[in-house]
Amino acid sequence: MEIAVHLLVLITIYGILAISLNLMVGMAGLFNLGLAAFYGIGAYTSAILSRNFGVPVGLSLLAGVALSALIGFIIGLPTVKLVGDYLAVVTMGLGEITRAVFKNWVPVTRGPMGLPGIPHMSLFGFKLDTAPLFLAFSFVMIAISFIFVERIRLSPFGRVLRGVREDEMGAQALGKNTYWYKMIALVVGSGLAGLAGGLFAHYMSFIDPSSFVMWLTFFIFLAIMMGGLGNNLGAVVATGVLMVLREGLRFAGLPPAVAAPLQQLIFGILLIIMTIFAPRGLIPEQKPRYD
Amino acid sequence: MLRIENLSKDFGGLRAVDHCSFEVPAGTIFGLIGPNGSGKSTIFNLVTGFLLPTEGEIYFKGERITGWPPYAIVRKGIARTFQLVRVFRNMTVMENMLMGPKHQAGENFVAGVLNLPAVRRQERENVKKARELLAIMGLERFENEYAGNLSYAEQKLVEIARALMTDPDFLMLDEPASGINPTLVENILQHIRRLRDEHGKTILLVEHDMNVVMNLCDWIVVLNYGQKICEGTPETVSCDPRVIDAYLGV
């Protein structure tokens, strides 16, 4: 039972990451490989503020969201103009730089030793210090994130994002200032990733740089590719399926030296298969209807 | 309406447009013709802000628009289509159409997410307008079809209809009749004429189909190697020996 609740909490947190990446990649076509960086910035910001400075957890969580969104904005200023592979390279670099900062800025992040004793989530003085209570909170968070991004998808704003994804020049020829549409998608997506990071920190009570590696970004990429680029429900469901698969491998009785690489091998192969055979996912983006 | 002064564009060592000047008066259908590579599409890209000129100026409604970004030029009232169609392939035809209208309240992030009543009302009006245009183009049955699944000619029509959704004062059509069957071409021509006669729109047209050009245009500019070699009414241009030599043949 405990394991199931733990798994569900992780699914909600990674589900928020999948929704965030789906907004940036699936809807806006921004090939952001720096997702783990924004996730880590949210986690470290909220952890440090609450742990070291006694900031109430709700506020520190919001600060993590705000800082992730701000870093997204700053990174976006020079890079949003880049297209496809170029943006991927820049954001991948950001991911690695951020991880290096987490690892080496020892006075603040405690480097590889990580940050222990991160306060648990609390709401209006009520501590969410058990997994089931936290699950209820993280479920509300993913529900809000889901509804929020669905509203974006169904709005004329979301339509322009999809237009930018399809053909940026075509969108410009229809009077759309594509730079700012992409920027807003990046800022909102980064903020959501920061929210997931903050939730992770306060749930686990301990974080270290190993939680924010490039592999996580690829894992979430695989989830949104399986679930269907631009399809938020598909992305969340696929995250759940992959998480169950991932955790299930731990119970297969394999030695740890085999289980971990095998897990990465399986996900790597799945990513290749999806890219070749179903690049837009198993459940395609839904067509909006106009009455 | 549109004035081009001494416009030039170099691509490395190649001069695609060479000191070209002409003026498109309001309420006319204006043709831009010439052999392949003569600079017609480059002029389209310069006017719509997708390319920056090496030299020269562009004025629209008396205002200098040289160097403006494409979105600002569209908002000023210029719409265009492309020689190679640029529909949003993984979006429905209706979504393509709804990308057109300018100043949509729902394209603002906050108003869009909140789905305010003004957004819903404007969306309903735009859907109605899109259906009318799709009916004119004979595309109404494709409303919910992905644009990428349509034939090339149908995609071309979607692109024209989508440009019209921006409600432009000045419409630039890059080879609108190419690859489209004659009946449909006649429909499009009628609609273009109506845009001029009933709505006072100005149209700049690049086209290789001489029937279309001669029947439709009030005034024609002929380009060769990026230079203007002749301009005048269709009758004048079609008899000009330089045009016959460079483009029309015998």
Side-chain angles (χ1 to χ4, degrees):
Chain A
M1 183 62 189
E2 263 181 42
I3 290 170
V5 173
H6 173 69
L7 187 57
L8 283 172
V9 170
L10 290 181
I11 288 172
T12 55
I13 291 171
Y14 285 5
I16 295 173
L17 272 183
I19 291 169
S20 145
L21 195 64
N22 213 11
L23 171 65
M24 294 185 278
V25 180
M27 285 166 65
L30 293 167
F31 209 66
N32 184 351
L33 285 181
L35 186 73
F38 299 108
Y39 179 60
I41 290 165
Y44 270 95
T45 305
S46 192
I48 291 166
L49 285 177
S50 58
R51 177 184 178 274
N52 299 3
F53 299 99
V55 174
V57 175
L59 280 182
S60 68
L61 197 64
L62 284 178
V65 172
L67 190 63
S68 294
L70 180 67
I71 302 284
F73 177 74
I74 293 166
I75 294 296
L77 281 175
T79 57
V80 150
K81 280 183 187 162
L82 301 174
V83 288
D85 306 345
Y86 298 103
L87 182 65
V89 170
V90 170
T91 49
M92 192 163 74
L94 170 76
E96 285 307 294
I97 290 166
T98 313
R99 199 168 62 89
V101 170
F102 296 154
K103 208 169 176 177
N104 294 296
W105 197 12
V106 178
V108 176
T109 63
R110 286 176 34 96
M113 293 177 294
L115 286 171
I118 300 167
H120 282 293
M121 194 69 219
S122 63
L123 273 181
F124 311 111
F126 185 69
K127 267 195 171 311
L128 306 175
D129 52 1
T130 65
L133 283 175
F134 193 89
L135 175 61
F137 180 71
S138 62
F139 185 79
V140 170
M141 286 293 109
I142 194 175
I144 292 171
S145 308
F146 180 82
I147 292 166
F148 178 56
V149 177
E150 274 295 285
R151 293 295 287 254
I152 294 175
R153 184 177 74 82
L154 295 169
S155 70
F157 176 89
R159 184 167 60 223
V160 177
L161 283 188
R162 292 198 300 282
V164 171
R165 173 194 75 195
E166 291 296 309
D167 183 350
E168 188 169 355
M169 198 169 162
Q172 286 171 342
L174 294 169
K176 314 302 174 198
N177 185 352
T178 57
Y179 181 84
W180 285 109
Y181 283 96
K182 291 197 291 184
M183 182 64 98
I184 292 172
L186 184 63
V187 168
V188 173
S190 306
L192 277 176
L195 171 68
L199 290 174
F200 179 77
H202 293 290
Y203 171 65
M204 299 299 280
S205 286
F206 173 81
I207 51 170
D208 69 1
S210 70
S211 300
F212 310 103
V213 289
M214 180 65 73
W215 186 87
L216 175 70
T217 304
F218 285 122
F219 180 77
I220 303 296
F221 249 97
L222 176 58
I224 67 167
M225 287 187 77
M226 275 186 75
L229 285 169
N231 184 325
N232 292 314
L233 186 62
V236 174
V237 170
T239 305
V241 171
L242 288 175
M243 287 294 288
V244 170
L245 183 63
R246 190 177 94 163
E247 298 304 308
L249 277 173
R250 294 185 189 205
F251 298 101
L254 297 167
V258 176
L262 183 66
Q263 180 187 310
Q264 296 193 8
L265 184 72
I266 291 172
F267 290 149
I269 291 171
L270 272 175
L271 190 58
I272 292 168
I273 291 172
M274 291 304 302
T275 310
I276 295 172
F277 296 105
R280 297 215 59 80
L282 295 176
I283 318 166
E285 189 174 64
Q286 299 298 301
K287 287 180 187 175
R289 293 272 166 182
Y290 299 94
D291 300 320
Chain B
M1 169 130 320
L2 180 82
R3 196 170 81 246
I4 283 169
E5 281 182 4
N6 212 22
L7 200 65
S8 296
K9 177 66 187 174
D10 295 339
F11 293 109
L14 177 79
R15 176 147 282 205
V17 177
D18 193 2
H19 295 99
C20 205
S21 300
F22 60 85
E23 185 166 358
V24 183
T28 53
I29 301 178
F30 198 96
L32 197 56
I33 63 170
N36 294 327
S38 60
K40 306 180 297 291
S41 292
T42 304
I43 287 182
F44 262 48
N45 286 331
L46 289 167
V47 170
T48 50
F50 286 100
L51 289 174
L52 288 175
T54 310
E55 271 179 76
E57 299 289 353
I58 304 159
Y59 296 88
F60 181 62
K61 293 180 186 169
E63 193 171 358
R64 181 181 170 273
I65 58 164
T66 322
W68 283 23
Y71 70 87
I73 291 172
V74 178
R75 287 177 191 174
K76 186 83 185 151
I78 297 181
R80 70 168 293 180
T81 65
F82 293 87
Q83 190 177 3
L84 299 170
V85 285
R86 302 191 81 107
V87 293
F88 306 118
R89 299 182 60 81
N90 292 301
M91 292 168 72
T92 64
V93 169
M94 179 53 82
E95 283 186 286
N96 268 267
M97 295 294 283
L98 293 177
M99 282 284 286
K102 290 180 280 193
H103 312 299
Q104 294 188 55
E107 289 180 356
N108 172 287
F109 177 70
V110 177
V113 170
L114 293 177
N115 197 20
L116 299 172
V119 173
R120 296 199 296 271
R121 191 176 56 245
Q122 204 178 33
E123 194 82 340
R124 278 196 300 274
E125 286 164 8
N126 288 336
V127 167
K128 188 167 168 265
K129 187 179 168 192
R131 286 192 175 129
E132 287 167 10
L133 273 169
L134 287 175
I136 290 170
M137 296 289 177
L139 293 167
E140 64 272 41
R141 67 184 188 283
F142 298 123
E143 182 184 311
N144 288 316
E145 190 55 67
Y146 283 122
N149 292 344
L150 271 54
S151 72
Y152 182 78
E154 287 158 350
Q155 289 183 21
K156 197 130 199 162
L157 293 172
V158 169
E159 205 189 28
I160 296 172
R162 196 179 67 177
L164 290 172
M165 284 293 286
T166 67
D167 195 22
D169 297 322
F170 189 82
L171 180 63
M172 300 171 70
L173 302 171
D174 203 341
E175 299 189 24
S178 75
I180 295 178
N181 71 64
T183 334
L184 216 45
V185 166
E186 192 45 48
N187 277 354
I188 296 171
L189 298 190
Q190 276 178 16
H191 189 69
I192 292 173
R193 278 193 201 99
R194 268 209 305 276
L195 285 172
R196 177 194 56 187
D197 300 337
E198 294 168 22
H199 302 281
K201 309 280 186 200
T202 309
I203 291 130
L204 177 62
L205 184 84
V206 164
E207 185 54 68
H208 284 300
D209 184 330
M210 279 304 112
N211 277 333
V212 171
V213 175
M214 295 301 165
N215 283 324
L216 198 61
C217 295
D218 303 309
W219 198 260
I220 296 170
V221 161
V222 189
L223 297 175
N224 195 27
Y225 295 113
Q227 290 178 327
K228 185 176 82 176
I229 56 169
C230 169
E231 76 173 297
T233 60
E235 294 75 29
T236 323
V237 163
S238 58
C239 299
D240 191 297
R242 289 165 301 176
V243 180
I244 294 169
D245 185 42
Y247 184 52
L248 296 176
V250 184

